[in-house]
Every structure is written in structure tokens, then in C-alpha cells.
Amino acid sequence: MTTPTTPAASTVDIIGNVRGPVLRPGDEGYDAERGGFQAFRRHEPEVIVGATGADDVRHAVAFAAAQGLPVAVLGTGHAPVAPEPGGLLITTSRMAGVRVDPERSTAVVAAGTTWAEVIDAAAAHGLAPLAGSAPHVAAVPYVLGGGLSLLSRRYGYAADHVRSLDVVTADGEPRHVTAESEPDLFWALRGGGGNLGVVTRMEIDLVPVTRLYGGGLFFDTPLLGAALRAWCRWAEDAPEEVTSSVALVPFPDVPGVPEPLRGRHVAHVRIAHLGDAASGERLVAPLRAVGPRLLDTLDELPATAVGSIYDDPKGPLPSLSGNLLLRDLDDAGVDTLLDLAGPGNPGPLIVEVRQLGGALARPPAVANAVGHRDAGYLLGFVDPLPSATPTEAEVTEVRRRQRHFEHAVAPWSTGGRFLNFLGGDGTTPEITRTAFTAADHQRLTRLKTHYDPHNLLRRNPNIPPTP
């Protein structure tokens, strides 16, 4: 390892206390350690600690606090990165592991564990976690941001199903947090993101799901509007056992894209139904009636194949993204989306509408910070960038286009956003505030002021402490 120049003594102190690698710019392995799925605005830390366990995290946070260094945490790196250089980056990929308790239907999950690992471990006991659409995403940060699962309309947010959390707060102290031991912190960590500590382990509920009916319907460009309208009508009466969405995707004409989709602007309807194939076939008949499909992958699936429903890219991928929560989506709203994100529009804008409601609209057994449960839909949008190092003009144009998009769909918006899909240099504290109700944001600010008064943990969608 290259001997650091400054602060030499302090870095040596870290090396003496942690088991994992400690890297500075120029060290072998530094670039690989700071990488992840989001290839735009990569972390540029002064120090990286490749944590192997909770003790490494504790020493890293204590060091950062003593040096006044902001702390970022990197799991799989799907969250966009705040552009502030310097600071200390904790990577958690070495902290992987899951232990299932089949009698209690729970799993203990370490900080760097991906959903794929949890899915496989739970399936051995006839159980499943409330994982998201991409099994290669790290489980812990997903849950801290709320966690919108492909089973969520039946079971609620993943954050609603947390039993306990092990966390290192900004003072370097490890805490085992439950509803009984530290109720305020337990409330805030579940849905408040990484603002109040570095979570090293969590215990979560598992649900009794072994199979489901799911997959996708891909409609060609001439059926884009018909598919979106049919899905909106169909979703109004869909049972809670169905979690679904529709995406408008301009697929590039490049190798790697399935041939039927290559170079086409497609409506992709995603279905996850907690039922057998016969009931699923009856359920989706109105959607298939829209017309011929480019691809139709709907079938009965084992719970271990849940990632095939979205078949999200495994990256890395440079992009800028955002989201809005919608009250509803009427015909005028559909027309607006098609005008903004249909064929003929500049740029490769990808738009997805996810249905909420069902169990997502109900309060959990133990309250948490997840906000805006009254929203009907989540509207997400992603602009893939031409490279990991786009020009400032290219970034400015994408941001301008996304601001125009948000303004145009504002009549259907609740004014809220979903925390999991916020991040990056476009996410100010004012935007982060919109992920919560006013009362919950005030409560989170008070707790931030108590647990992290110097805003050490600010490389995230940030809730600043009171000055």
C-alpha cells in the first residue's frame, strides 16, 4: 500500500484498528473499491475503508468524526452519488451474510448482502423477503429507504417488516435498536435513509411465498398508448395480490438487447401476482387483449426467479433519475406521459408508472418514517447518459428535460417523492424533504440534530440538523 502523505498519522491509526483494506487515492484497488452500479459521479473519497464487520465500521466512523470528514456508505452502488469530493467512504461488500430462522420466519442480514443471497437462503425454508425488482441490489440500504417490493401491495413496504437494526451512529457508538430499546431511532431508521447512522445488520420478516405468476408483456410502438391506457383501467380494479407497473422504454439498436425489442419504443407491462397460473391467466386477459406482443414472458415462477420479471440491467450504468408520487393518472395524464416520453421525443428517457395502494396505503404495525402512503402511483424516470464522463452541456440538457417533465406532470402529483429513488447531485435537502410528511420531516430533523449534530452522514438524500 502506498504510504499516504496527509493526514499520515491519522490514516495509520485507522490501519491499526480495522481488519479490512484502507485505501487512499493512488493506491492499488482504490478505483475498484469506489465503483458500483451508478457509473456517473463516482465517489472521490480521501479515504476508503473496506469494512469487514461492525468493528471496522465503528473505527471508521470514529476516525471520520475526529477528522471532521463526511461519511458515505457504498453497498452495490445503485444510489446516485452526491458530487462533494473528499471524505471517508465505507464499503460493505465484505460484510455479506444471511441467517434464516424458519420458526420465526425472519432473517438476519449483514450490511453488504444482496437480495439474491437473501432470496436463496429464504427459499430453502419456503419463505421469501420483500425484495425489490433487482436481486443484485444490496438489501440494507433498500430497506432504509422504504423498500418497494414486487410483493408490496399485499405485504406493504420492506421497512414495515424490520424487527431490529444494528447501527453505528455518528458518535462512533454501536447500538442495537428495536421498537422497545430506542423507539425514536427505530422509527427514523426505517424509511429515513442513511441519515442517522451506518446500519451493519438488520433482522427482517420473511413471508410464506414459494411461487408466483409473473413476467412481462412487451407491446410495440403503435400500441404504446393503448397498452398504457389499458393498464391504467385494469390497475384500478386489480386485487392486492397483484403488484404491477408499466414502463415506456426506447430500446437502443445494439447487441445485447433481445432482437424483438431492438431499436423499438416499447410499452413493458410488469406483473407479479401471488396466485397460480390459471388465476394469473384470467387476471391478465384484458391486458393481452390490447394486441400482439413482441414478447410475452408471463408464467408461473419460483420465488427465486423474481428478478426475471423486470430483468433489470446489472450495470454499471451512468444515468440521471428522479421520481414523483401521483394521486391518480387519468386520460389527460396518460396523454401527457405519451407526449413527453413517447416516440419522437429527444433523448433516451425511460418512464415507469408503478401502482401503489393496497397494503402500501395502510400504516404498519410499528410506525416508521415512510411517507405519503396515500399516493396512488409512483412515477419514475431515468435518462441514461452517453458515457460515465458526459460533458457539462449534456448533463445540463438532461436536467433541463427532467425539470420540464416534472413541471408537465405536476397536475397529477401529490408533491411527494419516494426516498429510495432519490440521490445524486440533483437532490437538495429541499427535494429530500418532499419524501416525508411535514410532521415526519420535523421529527427526523430533531433526531438528526440529536444523533448527528455535525451532519457527518450527509452523502445521501440529506436531512440536515438544525443549525
Side-chain angles (χ1 to χ4, degrees):
M1 178 179 294
T2 303
T3 302
T5 53
T6 59
S10 300
T11 305
V12 169
D13 288 344
I14 284 190
I15 295 171
N17 287 327
V18 303
R19 297 174 59 189
V22 178
L23 304 172
R24 299 286 303 277
D27 288 345
E28 183 179 354
Y30 173 89
D31 281 339
E33 194 74 19
R34 69 191 179 102
F37 180 85
Q38 174 54 260
F40 177 57
R41 304 290 201 207
R42 296 174 70 188
H43 291 279
E44 298 180 10
E46 180 180 343
V47 182
I48 303 175
V49 175
T52 63
D55 282 346
D56 283 1
V57 172
R58 179 170 59 85
H59 291 307
V61 172
F63 166 81
Q67 298 294 319
L69 297 175
V71 174
V73 181
L74 178 69
T76 51
H78 280 72
V81 175
E84 183 182 4
L88 183 144
L89 174 66
I90 298 171
T91 61
T92 62
S93 60
R94 295 170 183 81
M95 297 173 62
V98 55
R99 185 177 71 253
V100 174
D101 184 336
E103 293 186 2
R104 299 175 65 236
S105 295
T106 61
V108 176
V109 181
T113 311
T114 65
W115 277 124
E117 297 168 271
V118 185
I119 289 168
D120 288 344
H125 304 281
L127 300 167
L130 297 181
S133 62
H136 49 282
V137 169
V140 166
Y142 162 97
V143 172
L144 299 183
L148 187 57
S149 166
L150 296 186
L151 311 177
S152 275
R153 277 177 40 83
R154 170 63 179 83
Y155 291 105
Y157 290 101
D160 300 343
H161 294 271
V162 177
R163 299 284 187 96
S164 67
L165 295 154
D166 290 344
V167 60
V168 177
T169 45
D171 55 5
E173 289 298 313
R175 303 169 188 266
H176 181 69
V177 181
T178 68
E180 293 75 30
S181 67
E182 296 193 59
D184 285 340
L185 186 56
F186 188 63
W187 173 85
L189 290 170
R190 297 171 302 126
N195 277 282
L196 295 176
V198 181
V199 172
T200 60
R201 186 170 62 177
M202 65 181 181
E203 184 181 17
I204 57 173
D205 293 324
L206 302 173
V207 296
V209 174
T210 58
R211 302 190 67 80
L212 67 159
Y213 177 84
L217 303 173
F218 296 80
F219 295 95
D220 201 358
T221 307
L223 292 175
L224 215 66
L228 181 54
R229 290 187 177 89
W231 178 82
C232 287
R233 293 192 299 269
W234 175 85
E236 289 179 358
D237 298 319
E240 292 185 6
E241 286 72 25
V242 178
T243 300
S244 69
S245 72
V246 60
L248 307 181
V249 185
F251 282 99
D253 188 1
V254 297
V257 175
E259 194 280 329
L261 309 179
R262 196 174 298 173
R264 299 177 184 273
H265 206 131
V266 170
H268 180 193
V269 180
R270 291 90 173 254
I271 303 290
H273 169 55
L274 291 170
D276 59 21
S279 63
E281 291 285 315
R282 292 191 297 271
L283 182 73
V284 301
L287 297 174
R288 283 194 169 127
V290 168
R293 281 81 62 198
L294 296 168
L295 287 174
D296 185 333
T297 64
L298 287 172
D299 203 350
E300 192 168 339
L301 305 170
T304 51
V306 68
S308 68
I309 294 175
Y310 272 56
D311 196 21
D312 286 323
K314 296 178 174 59
L317 179 69
S319 63
L320 287 172
S321 61
N323 74 88
L324 292 170
L325 293 168
L326 307 181
R327 290 185 304 275
D328 53 23
L329 191 60
D330 57 17
D331 287 342
V334 169
D335 290 341
T336 299
L337 287 183
L338 292 170
D339 287 342
L340 295 167
N345 282 278
L349 181 66
I350 300 168
V351 171
E352 183 197 29
V353 185
R354 301 193 189 201
Q355 187 184 17
L356 303 177
L360 294 165
R362 296 191 287 270
V366 179
N368 58 39
V370 176
H372 306 302
R373 291 177 182 263
D374 57 342
Y377 298 91
L378 172 63
L379 174 63
F381 45 93
V382 179
D383 261 296
L385 295 169
S387 72
T389 55
T391 66
E392 284 304 313
E394 289 171 330
V395 173
T396 299
E397 173 56 23
V398 170
R399 290 199 187 107
R400 184 204 64 77
R401 190 163 61 239
Q402 291 189 349
R403 286 195 299 270
H404 173 69
F405 180 88
E406 290 192 6
H407 177 75
V409 299
W412 296 272
S413 172
T414 67
R417 292 176 172 85
F418 185 53
L419 190 68
N420 267 141
F421 300 147
L422 290 182
D425 54 0
T427 302
T428 63
E430 289 71 31
I431 288 177
T432 301
R433 179 192 297 266
T434 66
F436 308 98
T437 65
D440 283 353
H441 189 268
Q442 290 174 0
R443 184 179 178 185
L444 286 165
T445 301
R446 291 194 299 270
L447 291 168
K448 176 74 170 183
T449 304
H450 175 75
Y451 285 101
D452 186 13
H454 303 295
N455 206 12
L456 198 73
L457 299 160
R458 63 176 182 265
R459 298 291 180 80
N460 49 30
N462 190 228
I463 302 169
T466 302

